[in-house]
Amino acid sequence: MSRFHYIRDPDEIERRSFARIRELTDLSRFDDDQAQVAMRLVHTCGDPSIVAHLAFSPGACAAGLAAMRTGAPILCDVEMVRHGLNRRLLGKQALCYLNDPRAAEIGRQRGETRSMAALELWREHLEGSIAAIGNAPTALFRLLELLDEGAPRPALIVGMPVGFIGAVESKQALAAVAYAEFGVPWITVHGLRGGSALTAAAVNALGRLARGIRF
């Protein structure tokens, strides 16, 4: 018998966690689906204040759910996002080309980041996809450039790159043009915060919603 007393049942831990998140988090400005995404982000980072920076375009959750239900590809800027996705919910539909040798070669030829170059390999998968960018602001900027050039349109962009150079600006650009100019819905966390874990959490939340799982 252990002298440490703690809850061991994973279902009970999750149930209590989300009950506590509801108590601590102001979800009043979100609809029911948005609140599920917001709570999953709070659960991931342990900080209810994150929701003050969370933003959705019109129709973002609906577009993500529709894409999930059709098995659309999920395009990830880095492997950390891809590995953070729940395969039980999402199957094997996540793709990441950051470590593809072709991306490295494109980056060398153009003098740009590998994260940017990898998006060239997204083109054939973009139409109707979920684009999940959680690390590289340059990748988010490049995705917006591709759309501006007439590339196929994803169903949803989850754009939450983190960092001190370009992260804030890339998310501001996403919010300014993706839906307004290209008709592509988006979800983001404004400011310096973001990252692979939060991006994967948002996509996982949509995966749960698509299967009727709510907290």
Side-chain angles (χ1 to χ4, degrees), residues 116-194:
M116 293 174 67
L119 265 69
E120 290 300 318
L121 306 177
W122 284 20
R123 286 182 183 268
E124 65 180 289
H125 307 288
L126 266 176
E127 185 70 39
S129 68
I130 295 175
I133 297 178
N135 183 74
T138 55
L140 184 52
F141 275 125
R142 183 58 182 142
L143 178 56
L144 296 175
E145 288 176 342
L146 290 176
L147 294 176
D148 199 37
E149 294 164 6
R153 297 177 180 180
L156 174 69
I157 300 171
V158 180
M160 300 181 182
V162 63
F164 295 92
I165 305 299
V168 172
E169 295 82 1
S170 69
K171 291 180 281 191
Q172 289 172 338
L174 171 69
V177 305
Y179 184 78
E181 297 187 17
F182 310 125
V184 178
W186 51 265
I187 303 173
T188 195
V189 172
H190 283 295
L192 298 173
R193 289 190 288 181

Side-chain angles (χ1 to χ4, degrees), residues 35 40-41 52 65-66 86 88-89 93 124 137 149 160 185 195 198 201:
R40 184 58 61 175
L41 297 190
L65 292 176
N86 187 324
R88 178 175 58 85
L89 293 171
Q93 62 205 80
E124 65 180 289
E149 294 164 6
M160 300 181 182
L198 288 177

